[in-house]
Amino acid sequence: MPRVSRRVGAIGESPTLAVDAKAKALQTAGESVVNFGAGEPDFPTPPHIVEAAAAACRDPRNHRYSPTPGLVELREAVAAKTAADSGYVVSPSQVVVTNGGKQAVYEAFAALLDPGDEVIVPAPYWVTYPEAIALAGGVPVAVATTGAAGFRVTVEQLEAARTDRTKILLFVSPSNPTGAVYARDEMEAIGRWADEHGLWIVTDEIYQHLVYGEARFHSMPVVVPSLAERTVIVHGVAKTYAMTGWRVGWLIGPPDVAKAVGNLQSHLTSNVSNVSQRAALEALTGDQSSVAVMRAAFDRRRRRIVDLLRAVPGVTVAEPEGAFYAFPSFERVLGRSIRGRTASSTLELAELVLDEARVAFVPGEAFGAPGYARLAYALGDDALEDGVTRIAKLLADSA
Ligand SMILES: Cc1ncc(COP(=O)(O)O)c(C=O)c1O
């Protein structure tokens, strides 16, 4: 018998966190590293949110267990925010507050999948989805999209991937890692197709507030209302409010699913830290001006990194419309000799660039997209410039 179960033994380390850990270890050792690896805002959490948490620490009510699905006030605030920002009306009882969006992803699949059920996962995808699906006994079925198609999947591609075991379509817009945002009519076509075939939708809306230019966010159960009874939304405060470390997310589902998820969570982690929940409550209900300030900074950096990357010979990149990631192709760089070393995959290239130029990014293999790389541009303007310049100089040393 294996020492570690097959189920858990099959899980790989999160490649994004692994890159981040390696970059941070080098930094701790005194090296100057530009870290495009981590998917988190570089801003501190806005002060009024931190103050709410500090006050919550001093209130003994927060020192005790609280209801597993979340503080009543926070579930109400999530329902109100969903109605106001997405136009989707839900009852607070449909909301389960989770330990980050990640737990919501895990619990959504755990609650919906039986062994062998298939989930269509458009690629490039965020690293956690296939692992969460597999852990729940499901089968992730990746559907590749291309940069030329704006990394957006079509109904034809989805239909080609559908089998009689397909239960769920995972829908993510804006996307991590590509920054792609679906137009409303594209979403509607996809949603109608899913509805026609009785599929469930798990939709990750964590980047809802980070869309730029002409792009607009839309919520699937609003675009196709008949999907509401088979839709689970994953969301959280991490990206919008620079709160990755606070670990507050949520899931919104039909009442039976929300109830089942609450039951699961009651045996798993119980309530999310009350102090963090109070901070999230302030984030959702307090002053929203910091959101616009951070979004404006990301937008500026987005345009800057695209310009910088496009100036690097051999690198091509589409302009991301949401989130805070650039997803360039390094395909034309592979196979070249760079300072005496040759990278034949972006996995090897990422290692080479970290070793030789002290720049960290996540290779596309992690997202089911070899040849590409994810550079999170949620870091300071100077660091961003420095990082891409280092890559350009290194690649200029290639033959
Ligand atoms: C697409 C997507 N969903 C969910 C999450 C989960 O965020 P958290 O667990 O920090 O709330 C992330 C974080 O990287 C993400 O990129």
Side-chain angles (χ1 to χ4, degrees), residues 39 100-102 126 129 176 204 206-207 238-239 244 247-248 325:
K102 228 172 216 180
W126 179 48
Y129 303 130
N176 172 8
D204 187 334
I206 204 155
Y207 294 101
K239 317 289 175 171
T244 46
R247 312 309 305 136
V248 183
Y325 307 101

Side-chain angles (χ1 to χ4, degrees), residues 79-280:
K81 175 244 177 295
T82 307
D85 296 345
S86 309
Y88 187 39
V89 177
V90 294
S91 145
S93 65
Q94 291 176 254
V95 177
V96 181
V97 178
T98 57
N99 194 61
K102 228 172 216 180
Q103 188 174 16
V105 169
Y106 176 90
E107 291 179 346
F109 290 122
L112 294 177
L113 292 172
D114 278 316
D117 288 347
E118 293 176 5
V119 182
I120 297 181
V121 182
Y125 45 71
W126 179 48
V127 291
T128 291
Y129 303 130
E131 301 286 11
I133 293 165
L135 253 177
V139 180
V141 176
V143 174
T145 64
T146 62
F151 296 114
R152 297 193 298 275
V153 77
T154 63
V155 169
E156 291 67 37
Q157 288 178 295
L158 294 172
E159 179 59 19
R162 188 176 63 83
T163 72
D164 51 11
R165 293 307 310 263
T166 308
K167 180 165 184 187
I168 303 174
L169 167 66
L170 174 68
F171 185 81
V172 188
S173 173
S175 154
N176 172 8
T178 66
V181 179
Y182 284 78
R184 191 185 170 103
D185 58 340
E186 294 170 330
M187 278 180 71
E188 189 172 345
I190 290 170
R192 285 193 190 288
W193 166 84
D195 198 24
E196 191 182 315
H197 297 290
L199 302 186
W200 284 72
I201 302 281
V202 171
T203 183
D204 187 334
E205 300 187 342
I206 204 155
Y207 294 101
Q208 166 170 23
H209 297 287
L210 297 176
V211 290
Y212 315 105
E214 302 295 302
R216 294 289 171 268
F217 169 84
H218 300 286
S219 182
M220 188 58 106
V222 175
V223 174
V224 181
S226 48
L227 278 172
E229 62 177 22
R230 292 193 312 280
T231 294
V232 174
I233 293 174
V234 171
H235 213 313
V237 291
K239 317 289 175 171
T240 316
Y241 299 99
M243 290 181 70
T244 46
W246 297 81
R247 312 309 305 136
V248 183
W250 58 83
L251 170 153
I252 301 173
D256 54 339
V257 175
K259 179 85 182 82
V261 166
N263 291 347
L264 167 64
Q265 191 165 301
S266 74
H267 294 290
L268 192 64
T269 50
S270 307
N271 63 280
V272 171
S273 154
N274 294 323
V275 172
S276 287
Q277 290 197 68
R278 296 275 170 207

Side-chain angles (χ1 to χ4, degrees), residues 321-333:
E321 296 189 299
F324 37 58
Y325 307 101
F327 202 63
S329 166
F330 283 93
E331 272 158 321
R332 289 199 283 135
V333 169

